[in-house]
C-alpha cells in the first residue's frame, strides 16, 4: 500500500507521541516504587517478586501481540494497547497487598509490552514506506518521556499525592495524547500479513533474527547493569557523596538520549554496520578503561562512553529486523513477529543483568564484575557484520 508524504508526516507524529507517552508512564511508575514499597510494607524480596511478575506479564504478551499486529495491523493493536495502559495503570495505586500489587503489575507489564511491540512495528512500517530512518529518534523520545516522567513523579511523591490519584492524572494525560496519536497513524492495512496458526506452526523462525535478539540481550544486560550499579560502585567502592554518585547514571542517560537523537542520521550516512562496529568498540573499551583507572572520574568516563555505544543498538536492531522480515524473510516471519521476538529476548537482559552483576560482585567485587558489560559491547562490535544482510 502506497502512502503519501503527508501521511508519513502525520504518522511520524503519532508514533513519536506513542513512544513519548509510554516512556512518560514508565518514568512516573518507577518514581513511585519506593512509596508503593513502603505503603504495602514490602520487603526487598517481596518487591523483587512483584517486579518479576511484571516482567512475566511482558514476556507472556510478546508472542500474542506480535501475531495480532501481523493479522490486524500494528495501528489497530497500538490503539488497543494504549487503551489498556490507560485503564490498567491506576489499578497499581489501588493495590492493598503484595498479591494485588503483583497481579496489577502482571497486567501492567502485559499492556506496556503490547504498546511497545505495536509502536515499534508501526515505526518499522513507517521506515519501509518512506525509505527513511526514524527508529533511533523514536527511542530517544521514549527516553525523554521517561526522564520527564521521573521528575514529575518525584514532584508528586514529594507533595505526598496518593499513587492512585497520581496515576489517574497520568492516564488522563496519556489518554489525550493517545487520541491525538491514533488519528495520525497509518491505516491498519499498511502492514497486515496473512496469518494462520497452521502455517505459523510450519514456519521456522530465521536464525538471523534470533542472533539479532541475542545482540539485543547483550545491550539490555549492559543498559540494566549501568543503570542499577553505577551509583553503588561510585559510592561504596570509591566513596562518592550522595550527589556525586548519581553522576555516572546522569552521564549515561545523557549520552543515551543524545545518541538516539542523532542515531538515524549517523546510520543513514555511515550504515548501521559501521555505527555498531565503532560504537560497540568505543563503549566497551571506554568502560573497561574507566574501571581500570578507577575513581569516580573513571566511572563517569566509562559510563559516558558506554551510553554512547548502547544508544543505537536496540533501535537499529528493530529497524533491521523489520527490514529483513519485509524483504529477505518475507513469508517466514512478519515484521511484528520479528520485533516481538527481539523484544522478548532483549527484555530478558533487563531481568537477569542487574542480579547477575550482584552475584558476580559478591564473587569478584562490583568493579571487576562490570567488565562483563564491557566485553558484551565488544561482542556487539564484532557481530555488527550481520547488518550487511539488511
Amino acid at each position: 500500500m502506497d502512502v503519501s508524504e503527508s501521511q508519513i508526516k502525520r504518522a511520524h507524529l503519532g508514533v513519536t507521541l506513542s513512544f513519548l507517552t509510554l516512556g512518560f508512564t514508565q518514568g512516573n511508575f518507577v518514581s513511585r516504587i519506593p512509596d508503593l514499597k513502603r505503603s504495602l510494607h514490602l520487603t526487598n524480596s517481596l518487591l523483587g517478586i512483584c517486579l518479576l511478575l511484571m516482567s512475566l506479564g511482558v514476556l507472556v504478551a510478546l508472542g500474542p501481540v506480535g501475531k495480532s499486529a501481523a493479522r490486524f495491523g500494528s495501528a489497530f493493536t497500538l490503539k488497543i494497547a494504549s487503551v489498556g495502559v490507560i485503564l490498567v495503570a491506576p489499578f497499581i495505586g489501588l493495590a492493598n497487598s503484595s498479591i494485588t500489587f503483583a497481579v496489577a503489575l502482571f497486567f501492567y507489564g502485559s499492556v506496556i509490552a503490547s504498546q511497545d511491540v505495536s509502536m515499534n512495528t508501526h515505526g518499522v512500517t513507517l521506515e519501509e514506506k518512506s525509505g527513511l530512518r526514524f527508529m533511533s529518534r523514536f527511542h530517544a523520545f521514549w527516553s525523554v518521556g521517561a526522564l520527564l516522567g521521573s521528575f514529575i513523579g518525584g514532584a508528586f511523591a514529594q507533595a505526598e499525592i496518593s499513587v492512585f490519584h497520581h496515576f489517574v492524572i497520568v492516564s488522563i494525560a496519556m489518554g489525550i495524547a493517545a487520541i491525538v496519536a491514533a488519528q495520525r497513524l497509518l491505516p491498519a492495512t499498511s502492514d497486515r500479513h496473512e496469518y494462520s496458526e497452521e502455517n505459523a506452526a510450519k514456519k521456522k523462525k530465521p536464525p538471523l533474527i534470533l542472533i539479532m535478539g541475542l545482540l539485543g540481550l547483550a545491550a539490555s544486560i549492559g543498559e540494566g547493569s549501568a543503570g542499577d550499579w553505577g551509583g553503588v560502585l561510585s559510592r561504596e567502592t570509591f566513596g562518592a557523596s550522595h550527589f556525586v554518585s548519581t553522576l555516572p547514571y546522569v552521564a549515561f542517560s545523557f549520552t543515551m538520549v543524545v545518541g538516539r537523537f542523532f542515531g538515524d542520521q549517523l546510520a543513514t550516512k555511515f550504515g548501521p554496520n559501521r555505527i555498531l562496529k565503532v560504537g560497540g568498540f568505543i563503549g566497551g573499551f571506554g568502560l573497561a578503561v574507566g574501571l581500570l583507572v578507577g575513581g569516580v572520574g573513571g566511572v563517569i568516563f566509562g559510563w559516558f562512553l558506554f551510553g554512547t555505544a548502547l544508544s543505537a543498538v536496540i533501535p537499529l536492531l528493530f529497524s533491521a529486523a523489520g527490514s529483513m522480515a519485509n524483504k529477505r524473510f518475507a513469508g517466514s516471519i512478519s515484521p511484528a513477529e520479528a520485533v516481538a521476538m527481539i523484544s522478548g529476548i532483549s527484555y530478558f537482559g533487563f531481568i537477569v543483568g542487574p542480579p547477575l552483576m550482584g552475584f558476580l560482585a559478591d564473587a569478584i567485587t562490583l568493579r571487576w564484575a562490570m567488565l562483563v558489560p564491557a566485553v558484551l559491547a565488544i561482542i556487539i562490535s564484532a557481530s555488527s557484520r550481520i547488518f550487511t544482510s539488511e
Side-chain angles (χ1 to χ4, degrees), residues 27-358:
N28 276 280
F29 165 69
V30 170
S31 70
R32 298 309 298 265
I33 288 177
D35 296 311
L36 289 162
K37 180 178 183 293
R38 184 177 64 253
S39 64
L40 296 175
H41 308 290
L42 302 178
T43 64
N44 289 330
S45 298
L46 267 179
L47 176 61
I49 292 172
C50 291
L51 294 175
L52 184 61
L53 261 292
M54 176 178 164
S55 299
L56 181 61
V58 169
L59 296 176
V60 166
L62 289 172
V65 74
K67 295 173 183 177
S68 296
R71 179 181 293 174
F72 302 111
S74 60
F76 174 79
T77 54
L78 178 52
K79 293 172 186 177
I80 298 299
S82 298
V83 172
V85 176
I86 292 166
L87 294 177
V88 170
F91 281 94
I92 298 174
L94 289 177
N96 56 11
S97 68
S98 59
I99 295 176
T100 55
F101 184 47
V103 171
L105 288 188
F106 175 84
F107 286 103
Y108 180 65
S110 298
V111 292
I112 64 171
S114 299
Q115 178 166 341
D116 189 87
V117 170
S118 299
M119 68 189 188
N120 273 290
T121 302
H122 208 73
V124 166
T125 302
L126 196 57
E127 287 191 328
E128 183 210 352
K129 300 295 183 183
S130 67
L132 301 172
R133 289 188 179 275
F134 301 125
M135 196 60 72
S136 187
R137 180 161 294 204
F138 286 150
H139 282 257
F141 276 103
W142 188 98
S143 299
V144 169
L147 288 172
L148 181 61
S150 297
F151 282 120
I152 291 178
F156 274 82
Q158 183 67 31
E160 298 184 353
I161 295 173
S162 74
V163 176
F164 172 70
H165 290 107
H166 175 189
F167 285 0
V168 167
I169 294 170
V170 169
S171 289
I172 291 172
M174 186 177 176
I176 295 171
I179 292 172
V180 175
Q183 295 173 339
R184 286 160 173 76
L185 300 177
L186 296 176
T189 53
S190 299
D191 56 1
R192 282 179 183 162
H193 293 260
E194 291 187 11
Y195 182 88
S196 71
E197 293 292 344
E198 182 180 352
N199 291 336
K202 295 178 181 177
K203 294 176 183 176
K204 293 183 178 180
K205 298 297 187 289
L208 187 56
I209 301 296
L210 173 61
I211 293 171
M212 294 171 69
L214 293 175
L215 293 181
L217 175 68
S220 60
I221 287 175
E223 187 174 342
S225 300
D228 288 0
W229 291 108
V232 176
L233 179 64
S234 296
R235 187 180 302 181
E236 296 186 358
T237 303
F238 300 114
S241 66
H242 290 284
F243 173 75
V244 172
S245 65
T246 66
L247 295 183
Y249 185 64
V250 170
F252 178 81
S253 299
F254 174 77
T255 53
M256 285 285 285
V257 172
V258 173
R260 285 177 170 174
F261 269 119
F262 291 97
D264 294 319
Q265 296 96 310
L266 292 173
T268 299
K269 183 174 182 178
F270 300 108
N273 184 331
R274 187 174 299 178
I275 296 300
L276 291 190
K277 183 176 182 179
V278 175
F281 177 79
I282 291 175
F285 181 76
L287 178 58
V289 168
L291 292 168
L292 291 171
V293 170
V296 177
V299 176
I300 294 173
F301 172 82
W303 262 242
F304 183 91
L305 291 182
F306 197 51
T308 303
L310 294 186
S311 62
V313 176
I314 290 181
L316 285 178
L317 287 173
F318 284 145
S319 182
S323 177
M324 290 180 184
N326 276 316
K327 299 173 184 176
R328 186 174 176 185
F329 302 125
S332 296
I333 189 170
S334 70
E337 290 173 296
V339 167
M341 186 174 178
I342 291 178
S343 293
I345 299 172
S346 299
Y347 197 86
F348 189 66
F350 289 108
I351 300 172
V352 303
L356 173 63
M357 291 302 106

